[in-house]
Amino acid sequence: MEQKGILGNICCTSSDLGELLVPYMPTIRVPRTGDRVFKSECAFSFDSPESEGGLYVCMNTFLGFGREHVERHYRKTGQSVYMHLKRHVKEKATGAAGGAIPRRRNGKVFLDLELNRDFNGEDYEYEDEAKLVIFPDHFEIPLPNIEELPALVTIACDAVLNAPSAYKKQEPESWEEEIQVSRHARSLRQLDNGVRIPPSGWKCQKCELRENLWLNLTDGAVLCGKWFFDGSGGNGHALEHYRETNHPLAVKLDTITPDGADVYSFEEEEAVLDPHISEHLSHFGIDMLQMQKRTENGHHTDNNSRPRVSEWEVIQESGMKLKAVFGSGYTGIKNLGNSCYLGTVLQVLFSIPDFQRMYVGNLQRIYDYSPLDPTQDFATQMAKLGHGLLSGQYAKPPMKSELIEQVMKEEYKQQQKGVSPRMLKSLVSRGHPEFSSNRQQDAHEFLLHIINLVERNSAGSENPSDVFRFLVEERVQCCQTRRVRYTQRVDYCIQLPAPIEAATNREELLAYEAKRKEAEENMRAPPEPVRARIPFTACLQAFTEPENVPDFWSSALQAKSAGVKTSRFASFPEYLIVQVKKFTFGVDWVPKKLDLAIEVPDFLDLNRLRATGLQAGEEELPDLMPPIVLPEDTRGTTSPEIDEAAVMQLAEMGFPLEACRKAVYYTGNMGPEMAFNWIIAHMEEPDFAEPLLLPSMMDPGPSTSDSPVGAAPLGSSPPEESIAILTSMGFPRNHSIQALKATNNNLERALDWIFTHPEEEESDAVSDMADTEPNDNAFSNANSHSDSTLSPDRDTTGPRVKDGPGRYELFAFISHMGASTMSGHYVCHIKKEGRWVIYNDHKVCLSERPPKDLGYVYFYHRLSSS
């Protein structure tokens, strides 16, 4: 029935083509500025111009579709004209021309697409083909056909062919402004003063600070950097040194790699490039090639490579002959450059039946009901990736003929291409300051981000993230009156502390620490590191210990008192996520990883942590809210309390004094960093630099005439003054009220709550928060929903908490290599068909020795009661 190639085989005059295209001319558009042309990948599959059927680009929407999906778009939209793009990859003919660089003969390579890295550029050549296809009859018009096509069509075709691919257009936006070469680099004068810089143990020559250190490239002085608004950084001794000596260039010591280093020009007042950096560093005895920081595939490692070498090798099972596996569920995910955190999380999620059923089981329904732009639809892109991972279509073993050919060429390797998550990453990271960048990220944070997106996009339908949801019971006790309060909230993950003091090799650790300090003081290389080995039972014990409640206000005493809190499971989830708290913050505010191993069990029984509720003999705390602490005297007799030190720190940065005072006041004296954010958000306002005007007090009403501020019932609305402070910082009123209710009107905790709870849909925003006590505990609150509609008795659409026994079996874990969440590499191990499998980007192999003790995030599934 197909009529492909009809026009391609018929000699048509320009008038014939013109008449043929006349009915479709109103639907053919020329791409405008801002239009994205999706000519590298299908919106519903991973088909590309290199696929067997090529790619069809709609000449109206510029969306790309594989052969299997283009008919759906035609039926849904009525768009008839598509440009069919096909790239032919051919092996070069051997002979005189064999081995030469690929030739672009007769302009045959004209598509603005990346060359496929799976094909060696010296052995293969590319040939591109383009034609217009008119649906539903599949009439084909070969391109270029400039003389015969109407002018509008010719212009549109030329624009599509020359337009950058949709995601190629976005990538530059993720990078910082281009850095220029310093005018001092070529003629930099270096003093022959005999200074040699050791490989470690650096400290500022003036204040002995050991962080944020800069090496002056003229005289070799090691000095600290400038102070930052958040209190980190240094004391500015490097800048003082420049003012005294006029030595213009300095390099940051912990950024030196074989690829370069961070260089700053004090005279030019900006970061610069130094093309002669290797020569300038060697003057002080620094060999850049020894300062290893990057490994293959763009994964970031750290300068202090010795402690991490074994970790990289053990987690990736280097040195073992791992057997590649193919087929359904064994498809890898390509690394887009520091996107391994995303790949590992999605591999684990799509190994869970609920996610498979939701997105792959409903694939056709999702595709049929997708919006006109499926690239912007969360369900469509999740279904696309899930199908790519589970269909086996992109994880086929090489043919026997291919293997024989590879052996003959002595370049045998099992090709595992994997699928690219570029379209999904672009969608789920849009608007997020971290995930939208090309930097490495925390896999645990991304997991919670994805769960949040699944929640938001599952309204009224099956929600696969229900399998992670559980209820936490928090018991807070007033130490003085012994009275208690029980509350419940929803969570998705437990965070286990790693108590170093419980390490089984504690004596070895203490000896190492003593040697390390001695080496640092004597400017010697550090000793071989020792990894702490901590029993899992110790982590679980630390997790269950009672913790002090900061600033606890006892409603029984109506005063501040000592309080303790314990957390237990009010329900057990079907799938339990356990994060080991391996990361802490250094003095430079960079997350750093604790070097430890935890003996994580394959089977876990948490039934003893089941919540019990109010016990006989326990007396509950009264349902009263703490008194409202206002930032100023309500009668206006005294000035509001303002942290003048924070004000002066901001003023020294060049901001108007009154604006600094307002910033500190409206952020509740929470420090210069928060006030700085307020300034940035409000500096365009016309009254930005006007003196601080205090908000007028609301009439407290007759019931509070004797005591303007007192205890109030828990169900009452938050104080208007607190709401005003949050809304003045730019937060929506409803969201501010939610935050205050969720945190017992504590401004500081309300701000934290707002940042960790993105504003929900209007239907969710009106719900109340059941928890009225502090939420900072070992359970993960990063994605906790605050609305009580999540509890089973409030939800009419079905059970939202899948309770059951607390016995679990380990089935997956994500491991991190590197010294910080901001660098390094992630891989995951998943147990499938009774075998452990390692997923390392696009490579998928049977695991020989899964490193369970070095994991970061663990996934357990519930065992049946039988």
Side-chain angles (χ1 to χ4, degrees), residues 790-828:
L790 292 175
S791 80
D793 58 338
R794 291 284 302 275
D795 186 14
T796 59
T797 61
R800 302 295 304 279
V801 175
K802 300 183 177 183
D803 195 9
R807 296 178 61 249
Y808 293 94
E809 180 180 4
L810 181 70
F811 78 94
F813 61 95
I814 295 173
S815 305
H816 174 267
M817 294 154 281
S820 164
T821 54
M822 300 172 66
S823 63
H825 179 50
Y826 289 96
V827 302
C828 68

Short mmCIF file of all heavy atoms in Angstrom, two decimals, residues 790-828:
data_model
loop_
_atom_site.label_atom_id
_atom_site.label_comp_id
_atom_site.label_asym_id
_atom_site.label_seq_id
_atom_site.Cartn_x
_atom_site.Cartn_y
_atom_site.Cartn_z
N LEU A 790 -2.04 12.93 52.65
CA LEU A 790 -1.25 11.76 52.31
C LEU A 790 -1.55 10.59 53.24
O LEU A 790 -1.18 9.47 52.95
CB LEU A 790 0.25 12.09 52.37
CG LEU A 790 0.73 13.05 51.29
CD1 LEU A 790 2.19 13.37 51.53
CD2 LEU A 790 0.55 12.45 49.92
N SER A 791 -2.18 10.82 54.37
CA SER A 791 -2.46 9.71 55.26
C SER A 791 -3.67 8.95 54.74
O SER A 791 -4.57 9.52 54.13
CB SER A 791 -2.69 10.22 56.68
OG SER A 791 -3.98 10.72 56.82
N PRO A 792 -3.74 7.64 54.97
CA PRO A 792 -4.77 6.82 54.35
C PRO A 792 -6.19 7.24 54.68
O PRO A 792 -7.07 7.15 53.84
CB PRO A 792 -4.46 5.42 54.90
CG PRO A 792 -3.06 5.48 55.39
CD PRO A 792 -2.81 6.89 55.78
N ASP A 793 -6.40 7.71 55.90
CA ASP A 793 -7.78 8.01 56.28
C ASP A 793 -8.29 9.31 55.70
O ASP A 793 -9.46 9.61 55.80
CB ASP A 793 -7.90 8.06 57.82
CG ASP A 793 -6.96 9.09 58.43
OD1 ASP A 793 -5.98 9.44 57.75
OD2 ASP A 793 -7.23 9.53 59.56
N ARG A 794 -7.40 10.10 55.07
CA ARG A 794 -7.84 11.36 54.49
C ARG A 794 -7.93 11.29 52.98
O ARG A 794 -8.41 12.20 52.35
CB ARG A 794 -6.86 12.47 54.88
CG ARG A 794 -6.87 12.83 56.35
CD ARG A 794 -8.07 13.66 56.69
NE ARG A 794 -8.13 14.89 55.91
CZ ARG A 794 -7.49 16.00 56.25
NH1 ARG A 794 -6.76 16.03 57.34
NH2 ARG A 794 -7.60 17.08 55.50
N ASP A 795 -7.41 10.21 52.38
CA ASP A 795 -7.34 10.14 50.93
C ASP A 795 -8.43 9.23 50.41
O ASP A 795 -8.51 8.07 50.77
CB ASP A 795 -5.96 9.61 50.51
CG ASP A 795 -5.77 9.65 49.02
OD1 ASP A 795 -6.59 10.32 48.37
OD2 ASP A 795 -4.82 9.03 48.53
N THR A 796 -9.28 9.78 49.55
CA THR A 796 -10.40 9.01 49.03
C THR A 796 -10.06 8.30 47.73
O THR A 796 -10.87 7.55 47.22
CB THR A 796 -11.61 9.93 48.79
OG1 THR A 796 -11.21 10.95 47.85
CG2 THR A 796 -12.03 10.60 50.08
N THR A 797 -8.88 8.53 47.16
CA THR A 797 -8.56 7.92 45.86
C THR A 797 -7.90 6.57 46.02
O THR A 797 -7.63 5.90 45.05
CB THR A 797 -7.60 8.84 45.08
OG1 THR A 797 -6.39 9.01 45.84
CG2 THR A 797 -8.23 10.19 44.85
N GLY A 798 -7.60 6.13 47.22
CA GLY A 798 -6.97 4.83 47.42
C GLY A 798 -5.92 4.92 48.50
O GLY A 798 -5.57 6.00 48.96
N PRO A 799 -5.42 3.77 48.92
CA PRO A 799 -4.40 3.79 49.97
C PRO A 799 -3.13 4.47 49.49
O PRO A 799 -2.62 4.18 48.43
CB PRO A 799 -4.16 2.29 50.24
CG PRO A 799 -4.61 1.60 49.00
CD PRO A 799 -5.72 2.43 48.43
N ARG A 800 -2.60 5.37 50.31
CA ARG A 800 -1.39 6.10 49.95
C ARG A 800 -0.18 5.60 50.72
O ARG A 800 0.93 5.94 50.41
CB ARG A 800 -1.58 7.59 50.20
CG ARG A 800 -2.74 8.22 49.46
CD ARG A 800 -2.52 8.19 47.96
NE ARG A 800 -1.27 8.82 47.56
CZ ARG A 800 -1.11 10.14 47.42
NH1 ARG A 800 -2.12 10.95 47.66
NH2 ARG A 800 0.04 10.64 47.04
N VAL A 801 -0.41 4.84 51.78
CA VAL A 801 0.69 4.26 52.54
C VAL A 801 0.52 2.75 52.52
O VAL A 801 -0.49 2.24 52.99
CB VAL A 801 0.71 4.79 53.99
CG1 VAL A 801 1.78 4.07 54.80
CG2 VAL A 801 0.95 6.29 54.01
N LYS A 802 1.48 2.05 51.97
CA LYS A 802 1.37 0.60 51.82
C LYS A 802 2.07 -0.08 52.99
O LYS A 802 3.23 -0.49 52.88
CB LYS A 802 1.96 0.16 50.48
CG LYS A 802 1.26 0.80 49.28
CD LYS A 802 1.83 0.31 47.96
CE LYS A 802 1.07 0.90 46.79
NZ LYS A 802 1.55 0.39 45.49
N ASP A 803 1.37 -0.18 54.10
CA ASP A 803 1.97 -0.72 55.32
C ASP A 803 2.10 -2.23 55.24
O ASP A 803 1.37 -2.91 54.50
CB ASP A 803 1.13 -0.31 56.52
CG ASP A 803 1.86 -0.50 57.84
OD1 ASP A 803 3.08 -0.78 57.79
OD2 ASP A 803 1.23 -0.36 58.90
N GLY A 804 3.04 -2.76 56.01
CA GLY A 804 3.27 -4.20 56.05
C GLY A 804 4.36 -4.50 57.05
O GLY A 804 4.81 -3.63 57.79
N PRO A 805 4.82 -5.74 57.08
CA PRO A 805 5.89 -6.10 58.03
C PRO A 805 7.18 -5.38 57.70
O PRO A 805 7.44 -5.00 56.56
CB PRO A 805 6.03 -7.62 57.85
CG PRO A 805 5.46 -7.91 56.50
CD PRO A 805 4.37 -6.90 56.28
N GLY A 806 8.02 -5.21 58.71
CA GLY A 806 9.27 -4.47 58.55
C GLY A 806 10.47 -5.35 58.26
O GLY A 806 11.57 -5.07 58.77
N ARG A 807 10.30 -6.40 57.48
CA ARG A 807 11.40 -7.27 57.10
C ARG A 807 11.73 -7.03 55.63
O ARG A 807 10.85 -7.04 54.77
CB ARG A 807 11.04 -8.74 57.34
CG ARG A 807 10.81 -9.06 58.81
CD ARG A 807 10.40 -10.51 59.03
NE ARG A 807 11.42 -11.44 58.55
CZ ARG A 807 11.28 -12.24 57.49
NH1 ARG A 807 10.15 -12.21 56.79
NH2 ARG A 807 12.25 -13.07 57.13
N TYR A 808 13.03 -6.83 55.34
CA TYR A 808 13.44 -6.40 54.01
C TYR A 808 14.66 -7.19 53.51
O TYR A 808 15.43 -7.74 54.29
CB TYR A 808 13.82 -4.91 54.02
CG TYR A 808 12.65 -4.00 54.30
CD1 TYR A 808 12.38 -3.57 55.60
CD2 TYR A 808 11.82 -3.55 53.27
CE1 TYR A 808 11.32 -2.73 55.86
CE2 TYR A 808 10.76 -2.71 53.53
CZ TYR A 808 10.51 -2.31 54.82
OH TYR A 808 9.45 -1.48 55.08
N GLU A 809 14.79 -7.16 52.17
CA GLU A 809 15.97 -7.74 51.51
C GLU A 809 16.59 -6.69 50.59
O GLU A 809 15.88 -6.00 49.85
CB GLU A 809 15.60 -8.98 50.70
CG GLU A 809 16.81 -9.61 50.00
CD GLU A 809 16.45 -10.85 49.19
OE1 GLU A 809 15.25 -11.17 49.11
OE2 GLU A 809 17.36 -11.48 48.63
N LEU A 810 17.90 -6.58 50.62
CA LEU A 810 18.62 -5.63 49.77
C LEU A 810 18.53 -6.06 48.31
O LEU A 810 18.77 -7.22 47.98
CB LEU A 810 20.08 -5.56 50.21
CG LEU A 810 20.99 -4.59 49.44
CD1 LEU A 810 20.62 -3.15 49.76
CD2 LEU A 810 22.46 -4.85 49.80
N PHE A 811 18.17 -5.10 47.43
CA PHE A 811 18.11 -5.45 46.00
C PHE A 811 18.88 -4.47 45.12
O PHE A 811 19.09 -4.74 43.93
CB PHE A 811 16.66 -5.55 45.51
CG PHE A 811 16.00 -4.22 45.26
CD1 PHE A 811 16.00 -3.64 43.99
CD2 PHE A 811 15.38 -3.54 46.29
CE1 PHE A 811 15.40 -2.42 43.76
CE2 PHE A 811 14.77 -2.32 46.07
CZ PHE A 811 14.78 -1.76 44.80
N ALA A 812 19.33 -3.34 45.68
CA ALA A 812 20.08 -2.38 44.86
C ALA A 812 20.83 -1.42 45.78
O ALA A 812 20.41 -1.19 46.93
CB ALA A 812 19.17 -1.61 43.92
N PHE A 813 21.91 -0.87 45.28
CA PHE A 813 22.58 0.21 46.00
C PHE A 813 23.36 1.07 45.01
O PHE A 813 23.82 0.60 43.97
CB PHE A 813 23.49 -0.32 47.12
CG PHE A 813 24.60 -1.22 46.67
CD1 PHE A 813 25.88 -0.73 46.42
CD2 PHE A 813 24.38 -2.58 46.52
CE1 PHE A 813 26.91 -1.56 46.03
CE2 PHE A 813 25.41 -3.43 46.13
CZ PHE A 813 26.68 -2.92 45.88
N ILE A 814 23.45 2.35 45.35
CA ILE A 814 24.19 3.33 44.55
C ILE A 814 25.46 3.68 45.32
O ILE A 814 25.40 3.97 46.51
CB ILE A 814 23.34 4.59 44.29
CG1 ILE A 814 22.13 4.25 43.41
CG2 ILE A 814 24.17 5.69 43.63
CD1 ILE A 814 21.15 5.41 43.25
N SER A 815 26.58 3.66 44.62
CA SER A 815 27.87 3.96 45.26
C SER A 815 28.47 5.21 44.65
O SER A 815 28.27 5.49 43.46
CB SER A 815 28.84 2.79 45.07
OG SER A 815 28.28 1.59 45.54
N HIS A 816 29.20 5.94 45.47
CA HIS A 816 29.85 7.17 45.02
C HIS A 816 31.35 7.03 45.19
O HIS A 816 31.84 6.52 46.20
CB HIS A 816 29.35 8.37 45.82
CG HIS A 816 30.08 9.64 45.53
ND1 HIS A 816 31.19 10.06 46.25
CD2 HIS A 816 29.90 10.58 44.56
CE1 HIS A 816 31.63 11.20 45.75
NE2 HIS A 816 30.87 11.54 44.73
N MET A 817 32.10 7.48 44.19
CA MET A 817 33.55 7.53 44.26
C MET A 817 33.98 8.99 44.19
O MET A 817 33.49 9.73 43.35
CB MET A 817 34.17 6.77 43.08
CG MET A 817 33.91 5.27 43.11
SD MET A 817 33.97 4.56 41.46
CE MET A 817 32.36 5.01 40.83
N GLY A 818 34.90 9.38 45.05
CA GLY A 818 35.35 10.76 45.07
C GLY A 818 35.24 11.34 46.46
O GLY A 818 34.72 10.71 47.38
N ALA A 819 35.74 12.55 46.61
CA ALA A 819 35.81 13.17 47.93
C ALA A 819 34.62 14.05 48.26
O ALA A 819 34.47 14.49 49.39
CB ALA A 819 37.09 14.02 48.04
N SER A 820 33.74 14.31 47.29
CA SER A 820 32.64 15.25 47.51
C SER A 820 31.51 14.92 46.56
O SER A 820 31.71 14.34 45.49
CB SER A 820 33.11 16.69 47.28
OG SER A 820 32.03 17.57 47.14
N THR A 821 30.27 15.29 46.96
CA THR A 821 29.13 15.13 46.05
C THR A 821 29.26 16.02 44.83
O THR A 821 28.58 15.82 43.83
CB THR A 821 27.82 15.48 46.78
OG1 THR A 821 27.94 16.80 47.34
CG2 THR A 821 27.51 14.50 47.87
N MET A 822 30.14 17.03 44.90
CA MET A 822 30.32 17.95 43.78
C MET A 822 31.34 17.43 42.77
O MET A 822 31.64 18.09 41.79
CB MET A 822 30.75 19.32 44.30
CG MET A 822 29.73 19.94 45.25
SD MET A 822 30.35 21.43 46.05
CE MET A 822 30.52 22.53 44.65
N SER A 823 31.90 16.25 43.04
CA SER A 823 32.86 15.65 42.13
C SER A 823 32.70 14.15 42.20
O SER A 823 31.87 13.62 42.94
CB SER A 823 34.29 16.07 42.50
OG SER A 823 34.61 15.58 43.79
N GLY A 824 33.50 13.43 41.43
CA GLY A 824 33.47 11.98 41.51
C GLY A 824 32.57 11.34 40.48
O GLY A 824 32.23 11.92 39.45
N HIS A 825 32.15 10.12 40.77
CA HIS A 825 31.38 9.32 39.83
C HIS A 825 30.47 8.37 40.60
O HIS A 825 30.79 7.94 41.71
CB HIS A 825 32.35 8.53 38.94
CG HIS A 825 31.68 7.64 37.93
ND1 HIS A 825 30.69 8.08 37.10
CD2 HIS A 825 31.87 6.32 37.64
CE1 HIS A 825 30.30 7.08 36.32
NE2 HIS A 825 31.00 6.00 36.63
N TYR A 826 29.30 8.06 40.03
CA TYR A 826 28.34 7.13 40.62
C TYR A 826 28.18 5.90 39.75
O TYR A 826 28.17 6.00 38.51
CB TYR A 826 26.96 7.78 40.77
CG TYR A 826 26.85 8.85 41.82
CD1 TYR A 826 26.98 10.20 41.49
CD2 TYR A 826 26.59 8.53 43.15
CE1 TYR A 826 26.86 11.19 42.45
CE2 TYR A 826 26.47 9.53 44.12
CZ TYR A 826 26.61 10.85 43.76
OH TYR A 826 26.49 11.82 44.72
N VAL A 827 28.04 4.74 40.38
CA VAL A 827 27.61 3.52 39.70
C VAL A 827 26.55 2.88 40.60
O VAL A 827 26.42 3.23 41.78
CB VAL A 827 28.76 2.51 39.45
CG1 VAL A 827 29.86 3.14 38.62
CG2 VAL A 827 29.31 1.98 40.76
N CYS A 828 25.78 1.96 40.05
CA CYS A 828 24.81 1.25 40.87
C CYS A 828 24.91 -0.24 40.62
O CYS A 828 25.33 -0.69 39.54
CB CYS A 828 23.39 1.75 40.63
SG CYS A 828 22.70 1.38 39.01
#
